[in-house]
């Protein structure tokens, strides 16, 4: 439960990327500005195969007019629909229809009469259907796929909007051309259909308690300001849109002097600059208006606000914080790490580990105009009483720790540990393309000095405890509000489905712009393949393999131990791994002292287990590698498992199982597991709760608690797990022989090991005929639909066919599934399908599809999906794009230095003795549409499908679904869960 609660709250703030380095962090970096005001950030990194390109616009929901919330998010969606050139088959004929649609939306926005609004909706639909004869809205995504682009997406926050994707360096001109052209005279076509997709997104979030919790928290934290609302906007505004307002919002804010272009990755900056000037220099500079001004929230100190929106009680204290650009931001980040950190040594981490509270977290939320510091705590859950301890007690425990930071009552070792860990985190962040992009995005949006990225190490090193005390006194100054978040079901708003007809666009045609775009010369480059020799190997003992990768970037080593046993064969390993994360070393080193010793060495360790493997992750300063590994080894072989910590772990499991039948996401996952694995579902085949903990009554009315999961059985589980075959994946700076010598003597390995049977492949259910499995749930706004189809055995020789089918059938916005269900019919926000390859040859594969849609759209969505499975449409003209995407994916599969050996070992396990791309490239070049069609007919067409649905029985047309697709079997929550309550 503690992990679940902490994960829930982790989404409420942005953690800081943090530090100690070997190479100069400025290497490859340049910043400048075009004449039109566009800010350009270039950061070369030739250790990665591709380029990450991002356009940042300094506008978000905070900049919206109060009467049109949601505009920034709408606009993000609409900027994929094309321009007067992109996607336009005949702009001259489309333009008058588009202008009529804009006017109709203005009338709709002003109209108060419901019947008249319905009539206007139909009129807009008719004009939209007519206009759709002259455009193809998927052209942007198709052109992106055609030059090898991947992970095409965008997102909106209160302070900014970003558009991004990855692409091969030799497609730089194509990326520049398309991503600059999209900003020139955009056309917000297909607005009605895309609005439906936003409705679906809104309804999806309404089913998540996390949404209601964060809306309440930030709604009070920033009450009276635009930061109080969710980025998606208010429902009354979503239901009453204005296209004119959207156009004005674009023309106001989407100007080059309010934008940044960020390129990070494998390119040559000197070659790229002329392209940037040519393509993005076309954008026209315009003066920006003054930003909307607002007065910050006034706190009524100590005021308590209550709401029932959570699975568990939470007490939160909200304090005024600093803006992201404030000089105090770094010090506040440091202070937060004194409460919670990666070592688990913070003062809040300590009271959680001791079982005094179920969860406690300090969060920092810095934004463009203001900021907040949020302290929250979840009381301890008493299994015997089946109740939570008092909020008052939990809050006092939390505030006692806050007072310690304010007065500087912090051990010197903890202060030094946090500083060292932030320095290490900074070094490791510089290894990541995404971290670099995010750092530059934050710099631009919050108007901070880019030099701060490169001087962060020095600034962290300069911090003192006096700095922390000053900030703690300044911000924890007695001005706060208090939230009392109670258990209960939140009230949900729903955006209903309008009665509109789907939009059918021309098929197999492209715009004049697209034809010219596809003629842009592709720079031919020599493919660069992975070299397995980059990873050295040795077998220390039979069944004990060591893989070595040199760290060329910094002085931080990483080590993964991957033992060949998992929870499928050893169920208690799940709990043993959890407990190791808080254990000490027997006989007299407790968990807090162990973490203190580890942090003093600059080390971290963590443990986890899945159904096939037990993982140990260790990292730290290279100079202390031997001491760090030795300390972790002693913990694993002689764990000091505290009775209270065991009780905490069991309490979390106990509470989760108590609530699992009320959690929509857990219910949907359990239903999926049941449909695919039957009695082998992880929600059925698990340790029963009464084998973890029992409560029995005494004759005098008392209770006897029995903690069935005891120290001895857990210790034995850990000691048994480390007897299995193991892979040791080391990345560091010491030589290969020295690393082998250190690891041989300082890790839990033995000369005689048990043979592994991993990876475990669970038996899956096979269905003779298609049928429907239905779990009624009247509490969800959005139904969950899975499509499960067992298929033939996997053959490595068919690897390219699997990838080609998946790309054609469900390859993002260009794939059939998302295109037919979302883009054309607005039936779902998310829709996908994957024919899964297996980790071993000769194991049966299966197709798994998914749709999340409103309950009253389920039957129509199922019809479309099943029609795609049964009669896959033929678009052979897409083969060029499909093959380009496969080539890019093959050549881009270049793992980072820290994951390289893990990836190479997995490839070898699958039967590849060299980079798979070498064998795939020839197959891809020879691939034809007829081969994809033949593969589909062999693996998919005509096979029985289990349609698995969870949704509201009053709104889903079950009769239609059963008549069309097979007998419907209704299941209850009791059927898909066992070993709980």
């Amino acid at each position: 439960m503690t992990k679940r609660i902490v994960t829930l709250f982790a989404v409420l703030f942005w953690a800081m990327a943090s530090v100690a380095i070997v190479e100069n962090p400025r290497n490859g970096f340049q910043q400048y500005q075009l004449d039109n005001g566009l800010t350009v950030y270039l950061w070369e990194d030739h250790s990665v195969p591709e380029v990450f390109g991002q356009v940042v616009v300094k506008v978000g929901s905070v900049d919206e007019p109060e009467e049109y919330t949601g505009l920034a998010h709408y606009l993000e969606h609409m900027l994929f629909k094309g321009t007067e050139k992109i996607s336009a088959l005949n702009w001259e004929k489309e333009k008058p229809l588009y202008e009529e649609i804009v006017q109709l939306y203005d009338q709709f926005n002003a109209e108060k009469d419901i019947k008249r609004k319905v009539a206007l909706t139909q009129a807009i639909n008719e004009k939209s259907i007519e206009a759709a004869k002259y455009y193809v809205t998927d052209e942007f995504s198709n052109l992106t796929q055609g030059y090898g682009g991947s992970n095409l997406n965008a997102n909106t926050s209160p302070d900014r909007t970003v558009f991004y994707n990855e692409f091969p360096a030799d497609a730089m001109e194509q990326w520049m051309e398309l991503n600059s052209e999209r900003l020139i005279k955009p056309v917000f076509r297909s607005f009605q259909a895309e609005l439906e997709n936003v409705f679906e997104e809104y309804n999806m979030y309404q089913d998540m308690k996390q949404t209601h919790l964060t809306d309440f928290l930030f709604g009070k934290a920033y009450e009276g300001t635009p930061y109080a609302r969710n980025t998606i906007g208010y429902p009354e505004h979503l239901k009453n849109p204005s296209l004119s307002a959207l156009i004005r919002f674009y023309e106001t804010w989407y100007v080059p002097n309010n934008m940044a272009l960020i390129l990070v990755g494998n390119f040559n900056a000197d070659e790229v600059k002329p392209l940037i000037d040519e393509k993005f220099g076309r954008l026209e500079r315009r003066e920006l208006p003054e930003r909307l001004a607002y007065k910050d929230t006034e706190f009524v100190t100590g005021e308590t606000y209550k709401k029932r929106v959570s699975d568990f009680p939470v007490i939160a204290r909200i304090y005024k914080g600093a803006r992201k650009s404030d000089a105090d931001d770094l010090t506040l980040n440091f202070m937060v790490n004194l409460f919670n950190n990666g070592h688990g040594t913070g003062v809040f981490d300590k009271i959680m580990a001791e079982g005094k509270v179920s969860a406690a977290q300090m969060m920092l939320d810095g934004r463009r105009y203001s900021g907040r510091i949020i302290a929250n705590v979840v009381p301890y859950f008493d299994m015997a009483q089946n109740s939570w301890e008092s909020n008052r007690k939990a809050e006092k425990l939390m505030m006692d720790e806050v007072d310690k930071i304010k007065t500087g009552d912090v051990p010197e070792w903890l202060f030094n540990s946090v500083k060292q860990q932030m320095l290490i985190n900074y070094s490791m962040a510089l290894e990541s393309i995404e971290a670099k992009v995010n750092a530059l995005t934050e710099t631009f949006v919050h108007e901070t000095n880019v030099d701060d990225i490169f001087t962060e190490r020095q600034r962290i090193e300069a911090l003192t405890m006096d700095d922390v005390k000053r900030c703690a006194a300044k911000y924890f100054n007695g001005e706060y509000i208090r939230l009392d978040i109670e258990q209960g079901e939140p009230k949900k708003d729903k955006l209903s489905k309008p009665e509109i007809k789907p939009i059918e666009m021309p098929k197999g045609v492209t715009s004049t712009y697209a034809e010219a775009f596809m003629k842009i010369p592709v720079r031919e480059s020599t493919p660069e393949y992975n070299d397995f020799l980059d990873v050295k190997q040795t077998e220390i003992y039979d069944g004990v393999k060591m893989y070595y990768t040199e760290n060329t970037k910094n002085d931080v080593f990483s080590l993964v131990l991957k033992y060949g046993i998992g929870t499928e064969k050893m169920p208690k390993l799940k709990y043993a791994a959890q407990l190791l994360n808080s254990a000490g070393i027997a006989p007299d080193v407790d968990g807090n002292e162990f973490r203190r010793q580890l942090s003093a060495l600059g080390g971290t360790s963590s443990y986890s287990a899945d159904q096939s493997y037990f993982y140990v992750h260790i990292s730290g300063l290279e100079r202390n590698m031997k001491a760090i590994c030795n300390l972790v080894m002693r913990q694993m072989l002689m764990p000091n498992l505290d009775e209270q910590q065991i009780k905490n772990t069991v309490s979390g499991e106990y509470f989760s199982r108590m609530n699992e039948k009320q959690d929509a996401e857990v219910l949907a996952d359990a239903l999926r597991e049941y449909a695919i694995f039957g009695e082998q579902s992880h929600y059925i085949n698990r340790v029963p709760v009464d084998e973890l903990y029992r409560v029995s009554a005494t004759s005098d009315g008392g209770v006897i608690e029995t903690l069935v999961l005891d120290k001895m059985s857990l210790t034995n589980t850990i000691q048994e797990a480390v007897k299995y075959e193991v892979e040791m994946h080391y990345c560091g700076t010491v030589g290969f022989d020295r690393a082998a010598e250190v690891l041989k003597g300082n890790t839990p390995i033995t000369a005689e090991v048990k043979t592994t049977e991993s990876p475990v492949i669970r038996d899956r259910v096979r269905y003779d005929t298609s049928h429907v499995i239905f779990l009624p749930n009247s509490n969800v706004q959005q139904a969950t639909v899975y499509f499960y189809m067992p298929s033939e055995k996997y053959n490595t020789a068919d690897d390219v066919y699997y990838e080609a089918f998946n790309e054609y059938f469900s390859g993002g916005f260009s794939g059939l599934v998302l295109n037919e269900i979302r883009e054309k019919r607005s039936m779902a926000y998310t829709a996908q399908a994957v024919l899964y390859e297996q980790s071993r040859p000769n194991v049966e594969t299966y197709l798994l599809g998914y749709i999340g849609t409103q309950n009253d759209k389920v039957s129509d969505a199922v019809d479309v999906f099943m029609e795609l499975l049964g009669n896959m449409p033929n678009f052979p003209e897409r083969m060029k794009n499909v093959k380009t995407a496969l080539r890019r994916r093959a050549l881009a599969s270049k793992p980072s230095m820290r994951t390289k050996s893990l990836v190479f070992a997995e490839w070898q396990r699958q039967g590849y003795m060299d980079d798979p791309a070498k064998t795939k490239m020839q197959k891809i070049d020879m691939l034809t549409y007829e081969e994809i069609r033949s593969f589909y007919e062999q693996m998919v067409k005509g096979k029985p499908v289990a349609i698995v649905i969870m949704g509201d029985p009053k709104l889903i047309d079950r009769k239609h679904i059963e008549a069309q697709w097979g007998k419907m079997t209704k299941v209850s929550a009791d059927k898909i869960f066992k070993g709980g309550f």
Side-chain angles (χ1 to χ4, degrees), residues 733-919:
T733 60
V734 302
F736 174 70
D737 293 336
R738 174 59 180 162
E741 177 187 345
V742 171
L743 296 181
K744 183 177 180 179
N746 295 278
T747 52
I749 57 174
T750 59
E752 295 183 11
V753 297
K754 294 185 177 183
T755 303
T756 182
E757 296 179 21
S758 296
V760 173
I761 307 295
R762 285 183 287 168
D763 292 334
R764 291 190 297 276
V765 179
R766 293 197 68 88
Y767 297 98
D768 296 329
T769 59
S770 292
H771 73 292
V772 184
I773 301 171
F774 180 63
L775 175 65
N777 189 340
S778 301
N779 296 320
V780 293
Q781 299 276 75
Q782 195 174 69
T784 298
V785 186
Y786 293 105
F787 301 85
Y788 166 59
M789 173 193 287
S791 189
E792 306 299 322
K793 291 183 178 180
Y794 175 62
N795 185 337
T796 308
D798 293 334
D799 52 5
V800 167
Y801 295 142
Y802 279 93
E803 293 180 28
F805 169 77
N806 286 332
E807 186 68 27
Y808 179 82
F809 196 74
S810 189
F813 289 103
S814 299
L816 293 176
V817 173
L818 201 60
N819 194 269
E820 294 288 336
I821 292 174
R822 172 176 162 158
E823 295 300 295
K824 292 182 179 178
R825 295 176 173 83
S826 301
M827 290 178 173
Y829 178 70
T830 305
Q832 61 187 34
V834 176
L835 183 59
Y836 282 93
E837 306 169 51
Q838 292 301 302
S839 55
R840 293 192 307 206
N842 299 317
V843 175
E844 289 179 342
T845 61
Y846 65 97
L847 182 141
L848 185 65
Y850 168 80
I851 296 174
T853 187
Q854 292 182 51
N855 288 289
D856 51 6
K857 292 183 182 179
V858 168
S859 60
D860 291 339
V862 168
D863 286 350
V864 174
F865 193 98
M866 291 297 287
E867 179 63 23
L868 290 174
L869 284 180
N871 297 286
M872 185 176 78
N874 292 313
F875 297 115
E877 65 272 12
R878 286 189 55 212
M879 278 305 295
K880 180 177 182 295
N881 282 4
V882 168
K883 292 169 72 169
T884 299
L886 297 188
R887 288 190 195 96
R888 185 215 64 81
R889 189 175 303 130
L891 292 174
S893 295
K894 289 183 170 54
S896 69
M897 68 179 184
R898 296 195 187 276
T899 62
K900 188 178 290 186
S901 64
L902 283 158
V903 172
F904 286 3
E906 182 57 32
W907 282 344
Q908 290 172 332
R909 201 167 7 256
Q910 293 172 12
Y912 297 104
M913 292 300 105
D914 203 346
D915 187 344
K918 290 184 177 180
T919 58

Side-chain angles (χ1 to χ4, degrees), residues 406-666:
K406 286 175 65 176
T407 60
D409 184 14
V410 174
E412 185 178 358
W413 70 262
L414 175 57
F415 180 87
N416 292 334
S417 167
V418 166
K419 180 175 286 191
Q420 185 167 253
Q421 189 58 41
M422 288 180 70
L423 292 166
I424 290 172
N425 290 346
Y426 178 68
S427 287
M428 297 185 74
L430 289 174
E431 299 173 18
S432 164
I433 292 293
E434 290 78 7
K436 290 177 177 179
V437 171
N438 290 340
L440 293 171
T441 300
E442 294 292 291
T443 291
F444 175 72
V445 170
H446 297 288
E447 300 177 1
T448 57
N449 191 329
V450 73
D451 289 341
D452 289 349
I453 296 174
F454 307 112
T455 62
E456 188 169 308
R457 179 187 182 194
Q458 291 79 7
R459 291 185 294 122
I460 291 171
E461 289 176 333
L463 286 173
T464 67
M465 193 60 216
D466 285 340
D467 295 324
V468 175
K469 284 171 62 179
R470 176 189 58 79
C471 267
K474 177 180 177 180
Y475 295 100
F476 295 130
N477 59 4
E479 184 183 1
Y480 70 91
I481 58 172
R482 183 176 179 274
L483 304 188
D484 185 347
I485 301 168
E486 301 176 343
Q487 291 173 280
E489 290 298 320
K491 180 182 176 182
K492 301 177 183 179
D493 293 311
K494 180 181 178 180
L495 295 175
S496 300
K497 175 183 78 168
E499 295 300 324
I500 58 175
K501 297 176 183 177
I503 291 175
E504 289 291 338
M505 289 170 279
K507 297 178 180 178
V509 293
T510 57
S511 68
T512 302
Y513 174 84
E515 291 171 3
F517 180 88
M518 289 185 284
K519 293 177 182 176
I520 296 174
V522 176
R523 290 179 52 191
E524 295 296 331
S525 58
T526 303
E528 294 183 10
Y529 296 105
N530 290 291
D531 187 347
F532 278 20
L533 295 177
D534 288 348
V535 175
K536 297 180 180 179
Q537 302 180 40
T538 188
E539 194 160 34
I540 294 177
Y541 301 118
D542 288 343
V544 179
K545 294 181 181 177
M546 179 192 134
Y547 298 82
Y548 172 95
T549 308
E550 184 182 6
N551 178 352
T552 59
K553 291 181 175 290
N554 51 51
D555 58 353
V556 181
F557 81 91
S558 57
L559 173 67
V560 178
L561 306 180
K562 183 179 179 182
Y563 292 93
I565 186 66
T567 56
E568 195 71 20
K569 301 289 186 182
M570 196 179 286
K572 289 183 180 178
L573 190 56
K574 170 185 176 181
Y575 310 107
Q578 288 179 26
L579 281 159
L580 270 177
N581 288 304
S582 58
I585 302 173
D588 54 5
V589 176
D590 65 16
N592 288 324
E593 175 60 20
F594 169 78
R595 289 187 293 279
R596 187 195 71 76
Q597 292 181 20
L598 188 62
S599 67
L601 296 168
T604 62
S605 65
S606 65
Y607 305 90
S608 61
D610 59 24
Q611 69 175 22
S612 298
Y613 298 101
F614 172 45
Y615 297 92
V616 184
H617 291 266
I618 306 169
S619 66
L621 295 173
E622 190 76 61
R623 63 181 179 270
N624 296 329
M625 180 189 71
K626 181 177 180 180
I628 291 169
C629 290
N630 184 269
L631 192 63
V632 174
M633 177 182 70
R634 289 165 54 211
Q635 182 200 35
M636 291 176 66
L637 296 180
M638 300 180 295
N640 186 3
L641 301 173
D642 181 84
E643 193 83 13
Q644 183 60 48
Q645 291 168 343
I646 297 174
K647 196 170 182 179
N648 291 351
T649 297
V650 173
S651 174
E653 186 74 7
Y654 190 90
F655 177 76
S656 293
R657 295 197 194 183
M658 279 179 58
N659 288 274
E660 60 192 2
K661 294 176 185 177
Q662 285 75 50
D663 189 313
E665 291 179 81
V666 176

Side-chain angles (χ1 to χ4, degrees), residues 108-209:
F108 181 91
N109 178 259
E111 184 61 59
K112 304 301 180 184
D113 183 78
I114 298 300
K115 290 184 179 180
R116 180 60 186 151
K117 276 186 174 290
V118 171
L120 284 167
T121 297
Q122 297 307 314
I124 292 169
N125 189 221
E126 290 170 9
K127 290 295 179 185
S128 297
I129 291 171
E130 188 178 353
K133 298 174 184 177
Y134 306 113
Y135 61 72
V136 281
T137 56
D138 58 358
E139 190 164 88
F140 188 92
S141 59
N142 288 339
L143 291 176
T144 299
Q145 184 188 48
Y147 66 69
S150 64
N151 299 321
L152 176 67
N153 217 324
N155 64 66
T156 307
S157 81
D159 291 328
R160 90 291 180 276
T161 308
V162 297
F163 302 85
Y164 58 88
N165 69 280
E166 295 170 82
F167 59 96
D170 54 17
M172 182 66 78
E173 183 175 357
Q174 285 88 337
W175 189 90
M176 291 282 184
E177 165 60 31
L178 189 61
N179 283 273
S180 58
E181 184 65 41
R182 83 184 306 178
L183 299 168
I184 300 172
K185 297 181 179 180
V187 177
F188 304 136
R189 47 176 66 98
S190 193
F191 181 74
Q192 188 177 50
E194 194 59 34
L195 196 59
E196 268 288 277
N197 292 328
V198 174
F199 288 4
E200 286 292 348
E201 185 176 2
Y202 181 88
N203 290 332
M204 174 182 71
Y205 290 135
Q206 286 293 297
D207 278 335
M208 302 175 184
K209 281 190 178 177

